[in-house]
Amino acid sequence: MSFESNVKLTIALSNPSLDAEEQERETRNLLREIKDLDVESAELVAVAQTPQGSKAFGGFLLGVLQAEVSIANFKKLLGFLGDRLGGKSIELEVEANGKKLKITASSQQELTAALEAAQKFVAVG
């Protein structure tokens, strides 16, 4: 059985120099930009889904959003993230084909390597 499934991404932004409100604003801006791309869905992560040790703000996890995109548009989303988040500390969780890959990056170089790893992970399936 062969079918094209969607890829789920959880993106956690980490910027210790921002207060909670600034972090929330940055996350919402990123969410709005992702929604402008060709994604199936994109949303903030509700507190009900809170991983242990995470901070919540206004009913949502601080700095965390999720997006779901088709495999065909996954590369486009990764390219956008690479351009938009270069030099920022992020944690990215990619879920595809029933498997998960969790990667972190805190520089442009690490982000580039992380995005390449995510792309290979999805391609291998």
Side-chain angles (χ1 to χ4, degrees):
M1 183 166 106
S2 176
F3 64 94
E4 186 175 292
S5 62
N6 289 337
V7 180
K8 292 181 185 173
L9 292 116
T10 302
I11 304 159
L13 304 173
S14 175
N15 189 340
S17 66
L18 297 180
D19 66 24
E21 258 183 57
E22 293 168 325
Q23 179 99 11
E24 178 71 8
R25 195 168 30 253
E26 189 172 287
T27 306
R28 286 185 183 275
N29 287 340
L30 179 63
L31 177 65
R32 195 169 29 257
E33 291 174 23
I34 287 175
K35 283 184 174 180
D36 287 343
L37 300 173
D38 193 8
V39 296
E40 302 300 314
S41 67
E43 61 197 11
L44 297 174
V45 177
V47 173
Q49 303 166 317
T50 307
Q52 198 166 352
S54 297
K55 295 179 185 174
F57 183 83
F60 296 98
L61 280 185
L62 186 59
V64 181
L65 59 93
Q66 288 182 319
E68 189 170 331
V69 65
S70 68
I71 289 178
N73 290 320
F74 179 64
K75 190 173 181 178
K76 182 174 157 184
L77 178 59
L78 289 183
F80 164 78
L81 292 175
D83 292 343
R84 177 71 169 71
L85 301 177
K88 296 185 180 185
S89 292
I90 70 160
E91 193 172 287
L92 184 66
E93 188 174 287
V94 180
E95 187 177 341
N97 306 312
K99 294 186 274 182
K100 286 186 181 182
L101 172 70
K102 196 171 200 170
I103 40 186
T104 58
S106 56
S107 69
Q108 180 66 51
Q109 189 175 2
E110 287 177 7
L111 181 62
T112 300
L115 296 178
E116 285 175 9
Q119 195 171 329
K120 286 178 186 165
F121 174 77
V122 170
V124 171

